[in-house]
């Protein structure tokens, strides 16, 4: 009896020793490990997409987009009229002939025809190179009228060209391929708007010069009248 018990104990001990070397699969730990691996794989895949998106975004906001903004470069002035082309009103007549600098020939011609059509006298006194204040004032007034006429003609022509140019620019809205292109287009439009505003200021300065010449003429007339009365007395 004791021998049987001893034999059974030995067999159980041997079986336990053998089973100790056999790997055991824990189903709970396996499921956790599997889920962790799947989650990690999804995270890596998401990171790849994020990296790709970041690279695309970087491309969309950096780099040269000159070809996108270039068509908008000449909206304000381009090859048309610019106030800066008109010389100073003081120098617009040289040696008795109108001088318009780099202004377009057709605008200069129109202004010249206009001033010649008035058939104005060269001076109020009838003398050449007169130092009489009335002649000087009259000469300045003639120059101003000529300059303002050229300015008006040029501004009218430019307004038509700019309208067409800005309408063409409006048709390009929404055609940029990315953010950087849109930003550069918008920036160029802001620049062109600034140049257009500057042209408008130039035209207003011409109008102010016209008023100034008229005031100068009146002031000269008042002064000459005062001198005449003084001499008469």
């Amino acid at each position: 009896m004791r021998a049987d018990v001893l034999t059974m104990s030995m067999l159980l001990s041997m079986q336990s020793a053998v089973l100790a070397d056999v790997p055991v699969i824990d189903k709970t730990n396996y499921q956790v490990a599997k889920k962790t691996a799947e989650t990690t794989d999804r995270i890596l895949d998401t990171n790849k997409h994020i990296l790709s998106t970041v690279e695309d975004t970087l491309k969309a906001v950096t780099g040269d987009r000159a070809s996108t903004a270039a068509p908008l470069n000449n909206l304000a002035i381009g090859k048309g009229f610019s106030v800066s082309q008109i010389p100073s009103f003081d120098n617009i007549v040289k040696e008795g002939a109108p001088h318009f600098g780099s202004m377009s020939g057709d605008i200069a011609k129109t202004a010249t025809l206009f001033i010649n059509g008035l058939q104005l006298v060269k001076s109020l006194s009838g003398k050449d190179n007169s130092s009489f204040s009335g002649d000087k004032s009259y000469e300045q007034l003639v120059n101003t009228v000529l300059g303002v006429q050229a300015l008006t003609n040029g501004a009218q022509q430019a307004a038509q060209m700019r309208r067409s140019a800005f309408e063409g620019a409006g048709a390009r809205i929404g055609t940029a391929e990315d953010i950087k292109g849109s930003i550069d287009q918008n920036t160029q439009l802001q620049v062109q708007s600034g140049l257009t505003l500057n042209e408008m200021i130039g035209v207003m300065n011409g109008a102010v010069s016209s008023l100034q010449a008229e005031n100068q003429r009146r002031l000269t007339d008042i002064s000459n009248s005062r001198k005449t009365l003084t001499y008469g007395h």
Side-chain angles (χ1 to χ4, degrees):
M1 182 69 175
R2 291 181 179 178
D4 292 338
V5 172
L6 181 60
T7 301
M8 183 62 69
S9 298
M10 291 177 64
L11 289 174
L12 290 173
S13 298
M14 292 176 63
Q15 184 177 11
S16 298
V18 173
L19 292 175
D21 295 332
V22 176
V24 178
I25 298 178
D26 188 325
K27 292 184 178 180
T28 301
N29 289 338
Y30 173 75
Q31 292 297 329
V32 171
K34 182 179 179 182
K35 186 175 182 180
T36 300
E38 291 174 349
T39 302
T40 302
D41 186 62
R42 286 196 298 269
I43 291 173
L44 292 175
D45 187 58
T46 300
N47 287 341
K48 290 179 181 179
H49 286 296
I50 293 175
L51 179 60
S52 178
T53 301
V54 170
E55 290 176 347
D56 291 340
T57 302
L58 183 62
K59 291 178 182 178
V61 298
T62 59
D64 184 9
R65 300 295 187 279
S67 60
T68 302
L72 308 179
N73 288 348
N74 298 322
L75 295 180
I77 300 176
K79 299 180 181 180
F81 169 80
S82 173
V83 173
S84 61
Q85 296 173 346
I86 298 181
S88 170
F89 289 171
D90 294 334
N91 300 318
I92 204 167
V93 175
K94 290 185 177 180
E95 299 178 354
H99 174 72
F100 293 97
S102 60
M103 185 182 295
S104 172
D106 58 336
I107 297 176
K109 181 179 179 180
T110 302
T112 303
L113 290 174
F114 168 79
I115 199 70
N116 289 341
L118 297 178
Q119 298 180 350
L120 303 174
V121 296
K122 291 184 178 181
S123 68
L124 298 180
S125 66
K127 298 179 180 179
D128 294 334
N129 300 320
S130 171
S131 60
F132 175 52
S133 60
D135 286 341
K136 293 295 183 182
S137 177
Y138 174 76
E139 180 184 349
Q140 180 62 37
L141 186 59
V142 171
N143 291 350
T144 302
V145 170
L146 179 60
V148 170
Q149 179 63 29
L151 181 62
T152 302
N153 293 341
Q156 288 176 342
Q157 183 187 94
Q160 295 174 355
M161 296 179 64
R162 291 190 185 106
R163 177 184 176 87
S164 177
F166 276 103
E167 285 177 348
R172 293 180 176 274
I173 295 176
T175 61
E177 296 182 357
D178 51 33
I179 297 174
K180 183 65 163 52
S182 296
I183 292 174
D184 285 1
Q185 281 185 337
N186 182 70
T187 301
Q188 187 58 244
L189 281 175
Q190 294 297 321
V191 171
Q192 296 302 313
S193 296
L195 291 173
T196 302
L197 179 60
N198 190 61
E199 289 291 301
M200 184 180 69
I201 293 173
V203 173
M204 294 303 298
N205 286 339
V208 171
S209 296
S210 179
L211 293 174
Q212 173 64 13
E214 175 62 21
N215 289 333
Q216 178 182 323
R217 174 64 182 165
R218 290 178 180 177
L219 184 62
T220 302
D221 288 343
I222 293 173
S223 176
N224 288 336
S225 297
R226 175 59 179 165
K227 290 177 183 179
T228 300
L229 293 174
T230 301
Y231 294 149
H233 179 73

